[in-house]
Amino acid sequence: MASPVTLCFLVSKYDEPRRSGLIADWTSFEDVGKSFNGEVLTAAEYRRVEDSYISAVAYLADAMQADRFELRNLVLNEPPPAWLGAVYDGCSVDRHTALRLLRWMLRHGLLSCTLTSGDTLRVAVETDFYLSVEIQPDAVDSLDEVKRLGLHVVSVPCGKEESDAASRPADGEFWEEVAQSVRLSRGTTAILERWADGSYGCRWHPILDEDLSIISRSIRPHSLVTAYLDANVQWISRQNLLPAIESATMAEELPVVIFSRSIGGVSPEILVCREGVDLPTEAEVPLGDDFGFFLWPDDDSTSIQAVVPGD
């Protein structure tokens, strides 16, 4: 068994004056076309530096025989690219896909994760165009090749990885407990399915009756399922929906979850109004005449959690 990863580094294009801020330098793909120290950052120069980052991680992966990577601490604040497929925190990708995803994360800050290959290698994109790299002590010599690519390597303390995810499986006993709670709560329960952090890493399942079979079958493997037992769903007509949402958001600075009443077993369309964002227009409201809505539950809300087993 491999020894635990213990050494951590920041890898970047910045020398000491640029790391300390004495010399200004570009820090993202969005800086292409801007001038720094009298030189305009071209797309070609950006690509050259970006390629050196990808080459550095490719070399480390080869040196440590890391051919598959898990996506840990996954955050989705934009839809994942189509070529990545249906991802979730903890899913596994091959080396080629991991390097492609690394390039995507360097350019797009709304999707992030730690690429983890067992205990041998962990890589993540940090702010301002840094890479964090975590390796075993016996792999330190491999960093010499990273330096030969023109990149700078700085030793940093390793952070502690914390996990508070539920370990209970979302099995028949779990769903029966949720169904029993629904009977007692009289329609105030809602289920949050989460496969990653971020606004595109989850979806809501309002519970409209005690039959949870459709919901349980639709939830993807490996998701964290949270049944909120005091969601306080309020029903209202389409005509009065937007004024009621405006009143709710003014009283509580929390997102509001809106859904139309399903008909014939069809899953309701969900709309989430986030804090600080304009109310939806009439055209953005889902079809229907009868709507339910509730405030996004806070951390103290009464809930039951479980994790859906994998395939």
Side-chain angles (χ1 to χ4, degrees), residues 12-27 36-37 39 130 152:
S12 73
K13 62 189 179 72
Y14 308 115
D15 56 17
E16 174 55 33
R18 288 171 171 78
R19 286 198 303 273
S20 62
L22 295 177
I23 299 178
D25 203 356
W26 60 271
T27 59
F36 297 86
N37 303 306
E39 294 186 7
Y130 281 89
H152 299 269

Side-chain angles (χ1 to χ4, degrees), residues 220-233:
R220 66 184 68 187
H222 305 281
S223 290
L224 174 65
V225 179
T226 306
Y228 289 98
L229 308 181
D230 52 0
N232 191 24
V233 176

Side-chain angles (χ1 to χ4, degrees), residues 79-282:
W83 50 262
L84 191 56
V87 295
Y88 55 86
D89 197 309
C91 71
S92 176
V93 298
D94 59 27
R95 174 186 178 279
H96 172 77
T97 302
L99 294 176
R100 190 177 181 183
L101 178 57
L102 180 65
R103 190 183 296 276
W104 180 277
M105 291 190 293
L106 284 167
R107 296 193 181 197
H108 305 269
L110 297 178
L111 185 159
S112 66
C113 71
T114 300
L115 297 168
T116 302
S117 185
D119 286 331
T120 61
L121 177 62
R122 294 175 188 159
V123 179
V125 175
E126 307 294 346
T127 56
D128 294 337
F129 222 72
Y130 281 89
L131 290 181
S132 63
V133 174
E134 194 170 352
I135 59 177
Q136 293 183 14
D138 57 7
V140 171
D141 290 346
S142 62
L143 295 174
D144 291 340
E145 180 63 25
V146 174
K147 296 174 184 177
R148 281 192 283 270
L149 290 168
L151 300 175
H152 299 269
V153 179
V154 178
S155 178
V156 295
C158 293
K160 293 183 178 180
E161 187 172 347
E162 298 181 359
S163 176
D164 55 359
S167 58
R168 177 183 181 180
D171 52 15
E173 183 178 334
F174 166 78
W175 289 109
E176 176 55 35
E177 182 178 348
V178 175
Q180 187 175 24
S181 298
V182 171
R183 290 191 287 270
L184 296 175
S185 64
R186 297 182 180 179
T188 63
T189 301
I191 289 178
L192 179 64
E193 172 192 3
R194 181 170 291 284
W195 55 90
D197 284 332
S199 55
Y200 284 85
C202 65
R203 62 175 173 170
W204 281 100
H205 301 271
I207 297 179
L208 306 179
D209 54 49
E210 297 176 20
D211 183 4
L212 304 180
S213 59
I214 295 177
I215 294 177
S216 63
R217 289 196 302 267
S218 69
I219 290 179
R220 66 184 68 187
H222 305 281
S223 290
L224 174 65
V225 179
T226 306
Y228 289 98
L229 308 181
D230 52 0
N232 191 24
V233 176
Q234 301 181 53
W235 292 97
I236 200 164
S237 67
R238 186 182 191 91
Q239 179 180 357
N240 296 319
L241 175 63
L242 293 181
I245 297 302
E246 183 176 17
S247 176
T249 55
M250 290 179 62
E252 298 284 348
E253 294 184 358
L254 291 169
V256 177
V257 182
I258 306 169
F259 58 95
S260 57
R261 188 185 292 276
S262 66
I263 299 175
V266 178
S267 298
E269 184 176 349
I270 307 295
L271 178 65
V272 178
C273 299
R274 304 197 176 276
E275 63 271 36
V277 178
D278 292 340
L279 291 176
T281 64
E282 176 64 25

